[in-house]
Amino acid sequence: MTGRSALLARYGTEEPVPEPRLLTAGRLSAELADGNLCAIRWGGHEVLRAVAYVVRDKDWGTYAPAIAELTVAETADGFTVTYQARCEGPGGESLRYDASIAGRADGVLIFDVTAVPETDFLTNRSGFAILHPITGLAGSPVEVEHVDGSIEHSVLPDLIDPYQPFKDMRAITHRVAPGIRATCRMEGDSFEMEDQRNWSDASYKTYVRPLALPWPYVLPAGVPQRQTVTLRIEASPKAGLASSAEDEAIAIRFGEPAGTLPRLGLVLAPEETPATLAAVDALRRIAPQTLLCHFDPTAGHGREALAGFAEIARHCPAETVLECVVPCQDDLDHELSAIAALVREAELRLDALAVSPSVDLQSTPPGSAWPDCPPLEDVYAAARRAFPGRRLGGGMFSYFTELNRKRPPADLLDFVTHCTCPIVHAADDCSVMQSLEALPFITRSARAIIGPDKPYRIGPSTIGMRQNPYGSRTMPNPGRRRIPMAAEDPRQSGLFAAAWMIGYAARVAEAGLEALTVGAPTGPFGLIRGDGTVVPAFHAARMLAEIAGWRHVACHMKDDQQVAALATRSPAGTTLLLANLTGRPLRVRAPDGAWQIMVLDETTPEAWRPDAPPDHTVPADGVVLLRPYAIARLEGR
């Protein structure tokens, strides 16, 4: 151990990791955590990712209910859970609800909630959310029963749907595995489904209250609100059990070379300039190929901000890209030429810029009126005139969701960009790591929009939320907890973020990205601390920067939800990056060969220093032990 506790080393916080309680009834199983159900399985096959009763505030922040009177009873034939919960807002508004859960060995699961506002309660949404998994289900047939009793035979979207694939839902039936079908029935209100892969969630979400209705809305004091979700699983006697090999080493095998890996980028924020300059020696050790300079005149950024970027760029040779928010409040030529003049005065050398209208920093949900905004064609043309000879990018400075709903004229751009954030809807460790599963769907869907050959960039993509497109603010997090929509996520300073970063790069490796921006030098998304130490993700970023531009080699394994693997070949040999994406130790078997290995985990003090840990030789049997959220670099010839 490094002097840090295991919790602090892994997660950057002493907040305990919630231990879900496993509930079983015959072949039916589910995990109970914070009053909700996740990992609902039949014979080991995942049926639903979650059934949860969720209460949102006016900024789409998620309440953490106080749970009392929790009782759990289990028999051979079933289980029951009951509890009371209470949500209290900062203004004293409160909502309480009584919940009951019953699971039976015959494959029936019922989750019932009656909520009673103790005061008038302002909310954007209060009710059930049901999550269907994506891997193996995307593009598969479903049967949807609507509230009017009609039946629709359709498929779950393969490419990511920008809006709701199904509305006015009463029930949905899907095939879980050969011989296993599941029907989920929702009662108490009208439900609809959205494709949560838009936000990099690894799920399709069916939720209560249509987005076309006004929000926020008031639940009147004293008026009960009841909702029920009933899951019914039908399985033939011949339906098999899911295979499990948790004790086996996860074997990695190489496939064919497939393109090259993207440049590694870091984002610069004006308020972080002094801290970044103080850490410039460590920044040079990362050696990023791209510096993405965030500039927003509507936030008060001006010449001083640009001069700070210029000073950092002089110390850190890299492609310099201006991420420029365009106010669109005046003549476009006037606004952009004024920004160009400030760039010249600050002596900021630009290789490229990306532009986005300021109104596009906020999302326009389905059913809402689009805000006034000049056509993107006009914005891009004005940017070309103000910055002649510079590469021009566009897209969204928020998430793929917004790019999917407002698709740019890609033929007018030199590259297209967007970001992702894994804690828009849920912030538990499992959901954050599962978000990596959605990334190939995002990149494939983006390619369907912009074309197979258009240069494509992603980022900054970090665990914490840089800006909230869905509300007035990101969520404050003084207690350094795992909460959705927080700018400061404690896991950024732990091994968790390093594993997530390697996993992210591995999942987008086949997308042909031009650049991937994964964090910042300092600040909430920073890799370098003010005291000269670093966070483990510093080393992950440095590893990715070192292999940028090298040939990518596909990696295949039995379970890529537990381990991420990213392989490259160069004239010097083969490099293999590994990351344990779980909170338990794993054994990984490297491909045949002689390997030198560098491991970062909670036992290596170098994980928090800018120098690298020593190399070791992989054991003769090729099996590498990766402690929770460890990352490793293997070098071979």
Side-chain angles (χ1 to χ4, degrees), residues 32-106:
L32 177 68
D34 297 324
N36 293 316
L37 297 177
C38 59
I40 301 166
R41 300 178 182 275
W42 179 265
H45 297 282
E46 185 177 29
V47 179
L48 294 177
R49 192 138 278 183
V51 178
Y53 191 85
V54 180
V55 181
R56 302 276 198 177
D57 67 18
K58 64 181 179 62
D59 290 312
W60 292 104
T62 304
Y63 281 94
I67 294 177
E69 305 294 333
L70 174 67
T71 63
V72 180
E74 294 184 83
T75 68
D77 296 324
F79 56 80
T80 60
V81 178
T82 61
Y83 64 87
Q84 297 174 354
R86 191 169 185 269
C87 300
E88 185 171 353
E93 61 274 20
S94 64
L95 173 77
R96 65 173 175 81
Y97 56 91
D98 296 313
S100 67
I101 301 169
R104 305 198 311 246
D106 63 358

Side-chain angles (χ1 to χ4, degrees), residues 226-308:
R226 184 180 181 185
Q227 295 175 25
T228 306
V229 172
T230 303
L231 175 66
R232 190 176 300 276
I233 302 167
E234 301 172 276
S236 71
K238 296 182 180 179
L241 301 176
S243 60
S244 176
E246 290 189 0
D247 295 332
E248 296 180 8
I250 299 172
I252 309 293
R253 59 183 179 85
F254 291 147
E256 295 299 316
T260 58
L261 293 176
R263 296 195 285 272
L264 189 283
L266 297 179
V267 64
L268 305 180
E271 62 271 19
E272 288 297 323
T273 292
T276 300
L277 287 172
V280 76
D281 288 342
L283 175 59
R284 280 197 292 251
R285 289 197 177 205
I286 300 174
Q289 287 84 28
T290 294
L291 295 176
L292 182 64
C293 306
H294 180 68
F295 183 77
D296 183 359
T298 68
H301 300 168
R303 182 186 179 281
E304 184 179 353
L306 296 168

